[in-house]
Amino acid sequence: HTLNKVILPSSCAAAAAANEDLSILVEALTKASLVPEFEWTNGGKLHTIFAHTNAAFEAYLTANSMEKQALLDSEGLADILKYHVVAGKVMSSEVVDGEVASLNPAVKLTLAKTGEDVTVNGVAVATADVLCGNGVVHLVERVLSSDYTTTVTTTVAANVSTTTGDDAAGENATTTVDPDAASGAWGSGVAILAAFVALQLM
């Protein structure tokens, strides 16, 4: 057989459209004009998508006493969707503990791994490593909330060590220990994941 064009594997957008359990996500991506970001026409960019299932969307709507159409029409829809996406292709086996930037520049995701189990913002990945031509999809059964980042930040801040004494001028002075600097494991985890994502984009 002779082919007159290159046959590409399914894009992340096409893979999502083919999965009946992601139909609401596809509706949301379409409404937010984000489908092109996950097509082959996106300039070759790779993405890791934490895709919320229909059940996750329905639970979110119920918890917020909201109709689906109201969510689809909301001004913040694109920001919610971008919060579920990381630049680069990160398989579950390559996840390390720490924070990573999402496509929503205002907030980060917190990844963690215990054995082969991966969580994102404390939500378990139900189905990992659904491969597509320009990235990978991990299915989650809850819409991720940026409040998780706030909670983690607050908890860390509560554990910051401070000492108070008098400075040379006789005024009260407070010294604060940076928990990121004090915790090599936390800092190195973030650095490793950031380096991996950067390599995927090269």
Side-chain angles (χ1 to χ4, degrees):
H1 300 282
T2 301
L3 299 177
N4 60 8
K5 65 178 181 179
V6 176
I7 298 177
L8 297 173
S10 296
S11 66
C12 288
N19 188 330
E20 293 182 357
D21 202 27
L22 298 178
S23 62
I24 300 178
L25 173 60
V26 173
E27 282 187 75
L29 289 171
T30 301
K31 184 70 175 181
S33 301
L34 289 176
V35 170
E37 181 69 21
F38 307 110
E39 293 280 12
W40 278 113
T41 52
N42 72 0
K45 292 181 288 186
L46 301 178
H47 291 110
T48 297
I49 304 172
F50 294 95
H52 23 50
T53 61
N54 288 348
F57 262 117
E58 290 162 359
Y60 179 87
L61 294 173
T62 299
N64 290 278
S65 302
M66 181 185 295
E67 297 294 328
K68 182 179 74 172
Q69 194 57 49
L71 174 63
L72 295 178
D73 291 338
S74 64
E75 292 183 2
L77 178 62
D79 289 336
I80 293 174
L81 296 173
K82 287 179 180 179
Y83 184 53
H84 291 68
V85 184
V86 173
K89 181 179 179 181
V90 184
M91 305 295 289
S92 62
S93 61
E94 297 159 329
V95 168
V96 295
D97 294 353
E99 289 187 336
V100 62
S102 69
L103 291 195
N104 181 340
V107 284
K108 295 182 178 181
L109 292 172
T110 300
L111 303 181
K113 186 175 181 183
T114 303
E116 296 183 356
D117 298 328
V118 174
T119 61
V120 52
N121 287 17
V123 177
V125 171
T127 303
D129 302 335
V130 179
L131 288 173
C132 41
N134 56 353
V136 62
V137 178
H138 305 297
L139 303 186
V140 293
E141 295 183 346
R142 201 168 85 202
V143 175
L144 305 179
S145 171
S146 60
D147 291 341
Y148 181 83
T149 303
T150 302
T151 300
V152 171
T153 302
T154 301
T155 301
V156 171
N159 292 325
V160 170
S161 174
T162 61
T163 56
T164 302
D166 293 333
D167 61 14
E171 302 292 337
N172 286 335
T174 300
T175 301
T176 302
V177 178
D178 182 352
D180 286 347
S183 175
W186 178 267
S188 61
V190 175
I192 292 171
L193 184 56
F196 173 77
V197 171
L199 285 172
Q200 292 299 316
L201 294 175
M202 292 178 64

